[in-house]
Amino acid sequence: MGSSVTSTLLTGIAELTTHADSGGLADSTVADAAMVVVDGRVAWTGPGAGAPDADERVELGGRAVIPGFVDSHAHLVFAGDRAQEFAARMTGAPYSAGGIRTTVAATRGASDDVLRSNLRRLVGEMLRQGTTTVECKSGYGLTVEDEARALRLAREQVEAVTYLGAHVVPAEYKDRAGEYVDLVKGPMLDACAPYADFADVFCERGAFDEEQTREILTAARAKGLDLRLHANQLGNGPGVQLAVEFGAASADHCTFLDDKDIDALAGSQTIATLLPGVEFSTRSPYPDARRLLDAGATVAIATDCNPGSCYTNSMPFCIAVAVRDMHMSPAEALWAATVGGAKALRRDDVGHLGVGARADFAVLDAPSYLHLAYRPGVPLVHRVWKNGTPVAG
Ligand code: NIG
Ligand code: FE
């Protein structure tokens, strides 16, 4: 170890969840623990009594430590909000894909600075709630320039960026969906691919059908992008099967699944990403997390933060809902919000605190991670560390 490298020993950890063995759930917590961080990475974890010496010491006073959340699904480049649409929904109106066009109009009319500062506000809120890795999609521009702009702005502030030109057919292409698909898989893809890690399609009634989704996924894959899919959100459909067939990193929503979909996910590397905030905010039935888990599918939880279907960016809130209403155990929910999210982004350096992982973690004002679901709505995140440095709280 070079002399310029500083090691930090964190002591007084009432309960440390490492997920070091990412298969284990309850097994991965250590009581009365300590952790050593060197050069932004986890260098050692274990019982406090056996902790090695370090250059610096930080006493955490009996708090729990968990890996930073990995929010693998969010739409954060937009302007305006749709609070009125939410209010109408709460008094009986249904959610439909068409609401996206309202945000498209507001986003196209906004300056780079407005979009940038909205994104900064949202990412800051996420960090303060324990989220240290964020994925962000385009999808509210829907012109070549506006989609490329959204991805460029997202790239400035988040780690994983997804091209979602196929969010909805914009108003000016009404009755010309085929032409819009040609744009999405042609010139728009060319302009966006340099800024993106993934491509995504909203494969749903009212958005893009199976054939259109296939065309777009095929073109994006040929351009070298990894794939993810908005699948089976508003009803049964081909999305999940397509995600598995194309080897997508993740099939997101998974609200309406039949037996074939569950089997396909369970037999694949595609992560089933559940977005409990959406069902909460659209008053929809929750996805059957238990069936997915019991069948052996790998499940992630993400927020889907967006101005339409779900305007929360709180992973602790989503964990509480997943536990209370989707019958995930607290251990399963925490794993899904950390390791699960990392897997959905094809990352193995975040979402856990095994030796060598990035030292991204949240210190909770609570003796155990169980309090995340046990005390819903309470701001339990005391401090957040990213790359081995305290960044919020
Ligand atoms: O994931 N499903 C598509 N996109 C978003 C909703 C976007 C919106 O309503 O503005 C979602 O729920
Ligand atoms: Fe989404």
PDB file of all heavy atoms in Angstrom, residues 73 75 82 85 95-97 99-101 103 137 140 164 167 202 230 233 253 275 278 304 306-310, ligand 1:
ATOM      1  N   HIS A  73     -33.859   2.047 -12.353  1.00  0.00           N
ATOM      2  CA  HIS A  73     -34.913   2.467 -13.295  1.00  0.00           C
ATOM      3  C   HIS A  73     -35.471   3.816 -12.862  1.00  0.00           C
ATOM      4  O   HIS A  73     -36.187   3.916 -11.860  1.00  0.00           O
ATOM      5  CB  HIS A  73     -36.021   1.412 -13.323  1.00  0.00           C
ATOM      6  CG  HIS A  73     -37.116   1.669 -14.326  1.00  0.00           C
ATOM      7  ND1 HIS A  73     -37.708   0.649 -15.059  1.00  0.00           N
ATOM      8  CD2 HIS A  73     -37.735   2.816 -14.721  1.00  0.00           C
ATOM      9  CE1 HIS A  73     -38.640   1.160 -15.845  1.00  0.00           C
ATOM     10  NE2 HIS A  73     -38.681   2.484 -15.659  1.00  0.00           N
ATOM     11  N   HIS A  75     -36.676   7.939 -14.638  1.00  0.00           N
ATOM     12  CA  HIS A  75     -36.820   8.875 -15.774  1.00  0.00           C
ATOM     13  C   HIS A  75     -36.669  10.280 -15.190  1.00  0.00           C
ATOM     14  O   HIS A  75     -37.644  10.830 -14.662  1.00  0.00           O
ATOM     15  CB  HIS A  75     -38.212   8.778 -16.409  1.00  0.00           C
ATOM     16  CG  HIS A  75     -38.669   7.405 -16.792  1.00  0.00           C
ATOM     17  ND1 HIS A  75     -38.888   7.041 -18.111  1.00  0.00           N
ATOM     18  CD2 HIS A  75     -38.996   6.309 -16.060  1.00  0.00           C
ATOM     19  CE1 HIS A  75     -39.328   5.789 -18.167  1.00  0.00           C
ATOM     20  NE2 HIS A  75     -39.409   5.321 -16.932  1.00  0.00           N
ATOM     21  N   ARG A  82     -47.022  16.507 -13.139  1.00  0.00           N
ATOM     22  CA  ARG A  82     -48.387  16.123 -13.526  1.00  0.00           C
ATOM     23  C   ARG A  82     -49.215  15.855 -12.289  1.00  0.00           C
ATOM     24  O   ARG A  82     -49.913  14.845 -12.186  1.00  0.00           O
ATOM     25  CB  ARG A  82     -48.338  14.922 -14.494  1.00  0.00           C
ATOM     26  CG  ARG A  82     -47.985  15.403 -15.899  1.00  0.00           C
ATOM     27  CD  ARG A  82     -47.310  14.414 -16.810  1.00  0.00           C
ATOM     28  NE  ARG A  82     -47.884  13.111 -16.892  1.00  0.00           N
ATOM     29  CZ  ARG A  82     -47.192  12.037 -17.311  1.00  0.00           C
ATOM     30  NH1 ARG A  82     -45.929  12.146 -17.689  1.00  0.00           N
ATOM     31  NH2 ARG A  82     -47.764  10.862 -17.361  1.00  0.00           N
ATOM     32  N   GLU A  85     -52.872  15.349 -12.905  1.00  0.00           N
ATOM     33  CA  GLU A  85     -53.182  14.009 -13.419  1.00  0.00           C
ATOM     34  C   GLU A  85     -53.221  13.004 -12.259  1.00  0.00           C
ATOM     35  O   GLU A  85     -54.087  12.120 -12.212  1.00  0.00           O
ATOM     36  CB  GLU A  85     -52.106  13.617 -14.442  1.00  0.00           C
ATOM     37  CG  GLU A  85     -52.327  12.289 -15.125  1.00  0.00           C
ATOM     38  CD  GLU A  85     -51.115  11.909 -16.019  1.00  0.00           C
ATOM     39  OE1 GLU A  85     -50.693  12.731 -16.859  1.00  0.00           O
ATOM     40  OE2 GLU A  85     -50.604  10.784 -15.858  1.00  0.00           O
ATOM     41  N   TYR A  95     -54.761   5.349 -15.243  1.00  0.00           N
ATOM     42  CA  TYR A  95     -53.475   5.752 -15.803  1.00  0.00           C
ATOM     43  C   TYR A  95     -53.413   5.271 -17.243  1.00  0.00           C
ATOM     44  O   TYR A  95     -53.841   4.163 -17.547  1.00  0.00           O
ATOM     45  CB  TYR A  95     -52.315   5.121 -15.009  1.00  0.00           C
ATOM     46  CG  TYR A  95     -50.967   5.409 -15.644  1.00  0.00           C
ATOM     47  CD1 TYR A  95     -50.373   6.659 -15.496  1.00  0.00           C
ATOM     48  CD2 TYR A  95     -50.333   4.465 -16.435  1.00  0.00           C
ATOM     49  CE1 TYR A  95     -49.166   6.952 -16.111  1.00  0.00           C
ATOM     50  CE2 TYR A  95     -49.127   4.741 -17.051  1.00  0.00           C
ATOM     51  CZ  TYR A  95     -48.547   5.990 -16.884  1.00  0.00           C
ATOM     52  OH  TYR A  95     -47.355   6.274 -17.499  1.00  0.00           O
ATOM     53  N   SER A  96     -52.884   6.110 -18.145  1.00  0.00           N
ATOM     54  CA  SER A  96     -52.649   5.614 -19.511  1.00  0.00           C
ATOM     55  C   SER A  96     -51.313   6.147 -20.009  1.00  0.00           C
ATOM     56  O   SER A  96     -50.822   7.181 -19.538  1.00  0.00           O
ATOM     57  CB  SER A  96     -53.773   6.041 -20.452  1.00  0.00           C
ATOM     58  OG  SER A  96     -53.450   7.288 -21.030  1.00  0.00           O
ATOM     59  N   ALA A  97     -50.756   5.412 -20.988  1.00  0.00           N
ATOM     60  CA  ALA A  97     -49.447   5.768 -21.533  1.00  0.00           C
ATOM     61  C   ALA A  97     -49.456   7.169 -22.146  1.00  0.00           C
ATOM     62  O   ALA A  97     -48.426   7.832 -22.233  1.00  0.00           O
ATOM     63  CB  ALA A  97     -49.030   4.730 -22.571  1.00  0.00           C
ATOM     64  N   GLY A  99     -50.306  10.038 -21.154  1.00  0.00           N
ATOM     65  CA  GLY A  99     -49.885  11.169 -20.317  1.00  0.00           C
ATOM     66  C   GLY A  99     -48.442  11.576 -20.554  1.00  0.00           C
ATOM     67  O   GLY A  99     -48.054  12.720 -20.291  1.00  0.00           O
ATOM     68  N   ILE A 100     -47.655  10.646 -21.066  1.00  0.00           N
ATOM     69  CA  ILE A 100     -46.240  10.924 -21.360  1.00  0.00           C
ATOM     70  C   ILE A 100     -46.122  12.152 -22.261  1.00  0.00           C
ATOM     71  O   ILE A 100     -45.211  12.971 -22.106  1.00  0.00           O
ATOM     72  CB  ILE A 100     -45.591   9.684 -22.030  1.00  0.00           C
ATOM     73  CG1 ILE A 100     -45.534   8.519 -21.028  1.00  0.00           C
ATOM     74  CG2 ILE A 100     -44.219  10.003 -22.586  1.00  0.00           C
ATOM     75  CD1 ILE A 100     -45.168   7.172 -21.654  1.00  0.00           C
ATOM     76  N   ARG A 101     -47.079  12.318 -23.203  1.00  0.00           N
ATOM     77  CA  ARG A 101     -46.980  13.426 -24.175  1.00  0.00           C
ATOM     78  C   ARG A 101     -47.045  14.795 -23.496  1.00  0.00           C
ATOM     79  O   ARG A 101     -46.483  15.764 -23.998  1.00  0.00           O
ATOM     80  CB  ARG A 101     -48.070  13.302 -25.244  1.00  0.00           C
ATOM     81  CG  ARG A 101     -47.887  12.054 -26.114  1.00  0.00           C
ATOM     82  CD  ARG A 101     -48.806  12.022 -27.328  1.00  0.00           C
ATOM     83  NE  ARG A 101     -48.707  10.708 -27.972  1.00  0.00           N
ATOM     84  CZ  ARG A 101     -49.540   9.695 -27.759  1.00  0.00           C
ATOM     85  NH1 ARG A 101     -50.579   9.847 -26.938  1.00  0.00           N
ATOM     86  NH2 ARG A 101     -49.357   8.537 -28.351  1.00  0.00           N
ATOM     87  N   THR A 103     -45.621  15.579 -20.671  1.00  0.00           N
ATOM     88  CA  THR A 103     -44.254  15.861 -20.214  1.00  0.00           C
ATOM     89  C   THR A 103     -43.319  16.099 -21.393  1.00  0.00           C
ATOM     90  O   THR A 103     -42.375  16.887 -21.299  1.00  0.00           O
ATOM     91  CB  THR A 103     -43.746  14.700 -19.326  1.00  0.00           C
ATOM     92  OG1 THR A 103     -44.623  14.570 -18.213  1.00  0.00           O
ATOM     93  CG2 THR A 103     -42.342  14.959 -18.817  1.00  0.00           C
ATOM     94  N   LYS A 137     -33.154   7.356 -17.817  1.00  0.00           N
ATOM     95  CA  LYS A 137     -33.548   7.176 -19.219  1.00  0.00           C
ATOM     96  C   LYS A 137     -33.860   8.507 -19.883  1.00  0.00           C
ATOM     97  O   LYS A 137     -34.265   9.457 -19.210  1.00  0.00           O
ATOM     98  CB  LYS A 137     -34.820   6.327 -19.280  1.00  0.00           C
ATOM     99  CG  LYS A 137     -34.676   4.977 -18.623  1.00  0.00           C
ATOM    100  CD  LYS A 137     -36.023   4.280 -18.522  1.00  0.00           C
ATOM    101  CE  LYS A 137     -35.997   3.162 -17.490  1.00  0.00           C
ATOM    102  NZ  LYS A 137     -34.964   2.160 -17.698  1.00  0.00           N
ATOM    103  N   TYR A 140     -38.473  11.743 -22.909  1.00  0.00           N
ATOM    104  CA  TYR A 140     -39.401  12.871 -22.905  1.00  0.00           C
ATOM    105  C   TYR A 140     -38.964  13.927 -23.929  1.00  0.00           C
ATOM    106  O   TYR A 140     -39.379  15.077 -23.837  1.00  0.00           O
ATOM    107  CB  TYR A 140     -39.497  13.493 -21.514  1.00  0.00           C
ATOM    108  CG  TYR A 140     -40.169  12.596 -20.483  1.00  0.00           C
ATOM    109  CD1 TYR A 140     -39.495  12.198 -19.330  1.00  0.00           C
ATOM    110  CD2 TYR A 140     -41.485  12.168 -20.660  1.00  0.00           C
ATOM    111  CE1 TYR A 140     -40.111  11.384 -18.384  1.00  0.00           C
ATOM    112  CE2 TYR A 140     -42.101  11.356 -19.728  1.00  0.00           C
ATOM    113  CZ  TYR A 140     -41.418  10.972 -18.588  1.00  0.00           C
ATOM    114  OH  TYR A 140     -42.031  10.171 -17.660  1.00  0.00           O
ATOM    115  N   LEU A 164     -34.371   5.804 -24.493  1.00  0.00           N
ATOM    116  CA  LEU A 164     -35.781   5.392 -24.550  1.00  0.00           C
ATOM    117  C   LEU A 164     -36.538   6.279 -25.548  1.00  0.00           C
ATOM    118  O   LEU A 164     -37.565   6.871 -25.230  1.00  0.00           O
ATOM    119  CB  LEU A 164     -36.400   5.443 -23.135  1.00  0.00           C
ATOM    120  CG  LEU A 164     -37.871   5.025 -22.973  1.00  0.00           C
ATOM    121  CD1 LEU A 164     -38.138   3.606 -23.456  1.00  0.00           C
ATOM    122  CD2 LEU A 164     -38.320   5.176 -21.517  1.00  0.00           C
ATOM    123  N   HIS A 167     -40.523   5.595 -26.175  1.00  0.00           N
ATOM    124  CA  HIS A 167     -41.354   5.729 -24.968  1.00  0.00           C
ATOM    125  C   HIS A 167     -42.826   5.765 -25.373  1.00  0.00           C
ATOM    126  O   HIS A 167     -43.662   5.073 -24.825  1.00  0.00           O
ATOM    127  CB  HIS A 167     -40.942   6.996 -24.204  1.00  0.00           C
ATOM    128  CG  HIS A 167     -41.302   6.990 -22.753  1.00  0.00           C
ATOM    129  ND1 HIS A 167     -41.059   8.056 -21.921  1.00  0.00           N
ATOM    130  CD2 HIS A 167     -41.886   6.048 -21.975  1.00  0.00           C
ATOM    131  CE1 HIS A 167     -41.484   7.755 -20.699  1.00  0.00           C
ATOM    132  NE2 HIS A 167     -41.986   6.552 -20.712  1.00  0.00           N
ATOM    133  N   PHE A 202     -40.866   0.916 -24.432  1.00  0.00           N
ATOM    134  CA  PHE A 202     -42.111   0.756 -23.668  1.00  0.00           C
ATOM    135  C   PHE A 202     -43.005  -0.143 -24.523  1.00  0.00           C
ATOM    136  O   PHE A 202     -43.700   0.324 -25.423  1.00  0.00           O
ATOM    137  CB  PHE A 202     -42.724   2.130 -23.423  1.00  0.00           C
ATOM    138  CG  PHE A 202     -43.940   2.152 -22.511  1.00  0.00           C
ATOM    139  CD1 PHE A 202     -44.280   1.076 -21.699  1.00  0.00           C
ATOM    140  CD2 PHE A 202     -44.744   3.292 -22.456  1.00  0.00           C
ATOM    141  CE1 PHE A 202     -45.389   1.122 -20.852  1.00  0.00           C
ATOM    142  CE2 PHE A 202     -45.849   3.356 -21.613  1.00  0.00           C
ATOM    143  CZ  PHE A 202     -46.177   2.260 -20.819  1.00  0.00           C
ATOM    144  N   HIS A 230     -39.441  -2.020 -20.788  1.00  0.00           N
ATOM    145  CA  HIS A 230     -40.662  -1.794 -20.011  1.00  0.00           C
ATOM    146  C   HIS A 230     -41.642  -2.891 -20.444  1.00  0.00           C
ATOM    147  O   HIS A 230     -42.113  -2.870 -21.588  1.00  0.00           O
ATOM    148  CB  HIS A 230     -41.268  -0.434 -20.331  1.00  0.00           C
ATOM    149  CG  HIS A 230     -40.641   0.711 -19.604  1.00  0.00           C
ATOM    150  ND1 HIS A 230     -39.402   1.203 -19.907  1.00  0.00           N
ATOM    151  CD2 HIS A 230     -41.109   1.465 -18.572  1.00  0.00           C
ATOM    152  CE1 HIS A 230     -39.130   2.220 -19.098  1.00  0.00           C
ATOM    153  NE2 HIS A 230     -40.146   2.397 -18.273  1.00  0.00           N
ATOM    154  N   GLN A 233     -46.542  -3.936 -17.968  1.00  0.00           N
ATOM    155  CA  GLN A 233     -46.928  -2.970 -16.928  1.00  0.00           C
ATOM    156  C   GLN A 233     -48.445  -2.826 -16.805  1.00  0.00           C
ATOM    157  O   GLN A 233     -48.984  -2.861 -15.717  1.00  0.00           O
ATOM    158  CB  GLN A 233     -46.326  -1.589 -17.220  1.00  0.00           C
ATOM    159  CG  GLN A 233     -46.813  -0.497 -16.251  1.00  0.00           C
ATOM    160  CD  GLN A 233     -46.305   0.904 -16.584  1.00  0.00           C
ATOM    161  OE1 GLN A 233     -45.610   1.092 -17.578  1.00  0.00           O
ATOM    162  NE2 GLN A 233     -46.655   1.873 -15.767  1.00  0.00           N
ATOM    163  N   HIS A 253     -41.144  -3.674 -14.537  1.00  0.00           N
ATOM    164  CA  HIS A 253     -42.562  -3.627 -14.166  1.00  0.00           C
ATOM    165  C   HIS A 253     -43.048  -5.044 -13.817  1.00  0.00           C
ATOM    166  O   HIS A 253     -43.292  -5.329 -12.670  1.00  0.00           O
ATOM    167  CB  HIS A 253     -43.482  -2.980 -15.217  1.00  0.00           C
ATOM    168  CG  HIS A 253     -43.320  -1.498 -15.318  1.00  0.00           C
ATOM    169  ND1 HIS A 253     -43.886  -0.622 -14.425  1.00  0.00           N
ATOM    170  CD2 HIS A 253     -42.634  -0.729 -16.197  1.00  0.00           C
ATOM    171  CE1 HIS A 253     -43.570   0.620 -14.758  1.00  0.00           C
ATOM    172  NE2 HIS A 253     -42.803   0.585 -15.824  1.00  0.00           N
ATOM    173  N   LEU A 275     -41.358  -2.353  -9.544  1.00  0.00           N
ATOM    174  CA  LEU A 275     -41.399  -0.911  -9.303  1.00  0.00           C
ATOM    175  C   LEU A 275     -42.631  -0.605  -8.451  1.00  0.00           C
ATOM    176  O   LEU A 275     -43.642  -0.093  -8.950  1.00  0.00           O
ATOM    177  CB  LEU A 275     -41.450  -0.186 -10.658  1.00  0.00           C
ATOM    178  CG  LEU A 275     -40.364  -0.630 -11.666  1.00  0.00           C
ATOM    179  CD1 LEU A 275     -40.688  -0.184 -13.084  1.00  0.00           C
ATOM    180  CD2 LEU A 275     -38.996  -0.118 -11.253  1.00  0.00           C
ATOM    181  N   VAL A 278     -44.953   2.496  -8.583  1.00  0.00           N
ATOM    182  CA  VAL A 278     -45.881   2.703  -9.703  1.00  0.00           C
ATOM    183  C   VAL A 278     -47.265   2.162  -9.351  1.00  0.00           C
ATOM    184  O   VAL A 278     -48.279   2.845  -9.555  1.00  0.00           O
ATOM    185  CB  VAL A 278     -45.348   2.030 -10.990  1.00  0.00           C
ATOM    186  CG1 VAL A 278     -46.383   2.114 -12.105  1.00  0.00           C
ATOM    187  CG2 VAL A 278     -44.045   2.672 -11.421  1.00  0.00           C
ATOM    188  N   ASP A 304     -38.513   3.861 -10.487  1.00  0.00           N
ATOM    189  CA  ASP A 304     -39.200   4.366 -11.685  1.00  0.00           C
ATOM    190  C   ASP A 304     -39.553   5.843 -11.552  1.00  0.00           C
ATOM    191  O   ASP A 304     -40.532   6.306 -12.156  1.00  0.00           O
ATOM    192  CB  ASP A 304     -40.461   3.552 -12.001  1.00  0.00           C
ATOM    193  CG  ASP A 304     -40.946   3.752 -13.430  1.00  0.00           C
ATOM    194  OD1 ASP A 304     -40.209   4.335 -14.237  1.00  0.00           O
ATOM    195  OD2 ASP A 304     -42.080   3.330 -13.733  1.00  0.00           O
ATOM    196  N   ASN A 306     -40.613   9.240 -12.046  1.00  0.00           N
ATOM    197  CA  ASN A 306     -41.010   9.974 -13.254  1.00  0.00           C
ATOM    198  C   ASN A 306     -42.218  10.822 -12.896  1.00  0.00           C
ATOM    199  O   ASN A 306     -42.890  10.547 -11.894  1.00  0.00           O
ATOM    200  CB  ASN A 306     -41.307   8.992 -14.405  1.00  0.00           C
ATOM    201  CG  ASN A 306     -42.635   8.281 -14.228  1.00  0.00           C
ATOM    202  OD1 ASN A 306     -43.691   8.841 -14.492  1.00  0.00           O
ATOM    203  ND2 ASN A 306     -42.611   7.044 -13.729  1.00  0.00           N
ATOM    204  N   PRO A 307     -42.509  11.867 -13.692  1.00  0.00           N
ATOM    205  CA  PRO A 307     -43.594  12.768 -13.276  1.00  0.00           C
ATOM    206  C   PRO A 307     -44.996  12.203 -13.472  1.00  0.00           C
ATOM    207  O   PRO A 307     -45.966  12.798 -12.993  1.00  0.00           O
ATOM    208  CB  PRO A 307     -43.381  13.984 -14.181  1.00  0.00           C
ATOM    209  CG  PRO A 307     -42.686  13.442 -15.386  1.00  0.00           C
ATOM    210  CD  PRO A 307     -41.814  12.328 -14.892  1.00  0.00           C
ATOM    211  N   GLY A 308     -45.101  11.052 -14.162  1.00  0.00           N
ATOM    212  CA  GLY A 308     -46.427  10.521 -14.474  1.00  0.00           C
ATOM    213  C   GLY A 308     -46.866   9.410 -13.546  1.00  0.00           C
ATOM    214  O   GLY A 308     -47.675   9.594 -12.640  1.00  0.00           O
ATOM    215  N   SER A 309     -46.298   8.220 -13.753  1.00  0.00           N
ATOM    216  CA  SER A 309     -46.817   7.039 -13.052  1.00  0.00           C
ATOM    217  C   SER A 309     -46.307   6.898 -11.631  1.00  0.00           C
ATOM    218  O   SER A 309     -46.873   6.126 -10.853  1.00  0.00           O
ATOM    219  CB  SER A 309     -46.473   5.772 -13.844  1.00  0.00           C
ATOM    220  OG  SER A 309     -45.069   5.585 -13.871  1.00  0.00           O
ATOM    221  N   CYS A 310     -45.252   7.650 -11.265  1.00  0.00           N
ATOM    222  CA  CYS A 310     -44.664   7.446  -9.938  1.00  0.00           C
ATOM    223  C   CYS A 310     -43.634   8.515  -9.637  1.00  0.00           C
ATOM    224  O   CYS A 310     -42.506   8.439 -10.111  1.00  0.00           O
ATOM    225  CB  CYS A 310     -43.982   6.078  -9.893  1.00  0.00           C
ATOM    226  SG  CYS A 310     -43.164   5.758  -8.335  1.00  0.00           S
TER     227      CYS A 310
HETATM  228  O1  NIG B   1     -42.246   3.525 -16.350  1.00  0.00           O
HETATM  229  N1  NIG B   1     -44.125   3.087 -18.573  1.00  0.00           N
HETATM  230  C1  NIG B   1     -43.604   4.004 -19.172  1.00  0.00           C
HETATM  231  N2  NIG B   1     -42.949   5.017 -18.645  1.00  0.00           N
HETATM  232  C2  NIG B   1     -43.112   5.452 -17.304  1.00  0.00           C
HETATM  233  C3  NIG B   1     -44.242   6.386 -17.170  1.00  0.00           C
HETATM  234  C4  NIG B   1     -43.937   7.646 -17.789  1.00  0.00           C
HETATM  235  C5  NIG B   1     -45.000   8.684 -17.655  1.00  0.00           C
HETATM  236  O2  NIG B   1     -46.187   8.410 -17.354  1.00  0.00           O
HETATM  237  O3  NIG B   1     -44.604   9.833 -17.879  1.00  0.00           O
HETATM  238  C6  NIG B   1     -43.221   4.274 -16.389  1.00  0.00           C
HETATM  239  O4  NIG B   1     -44.218   4.072 -15.680  1.00  0.00           O
END
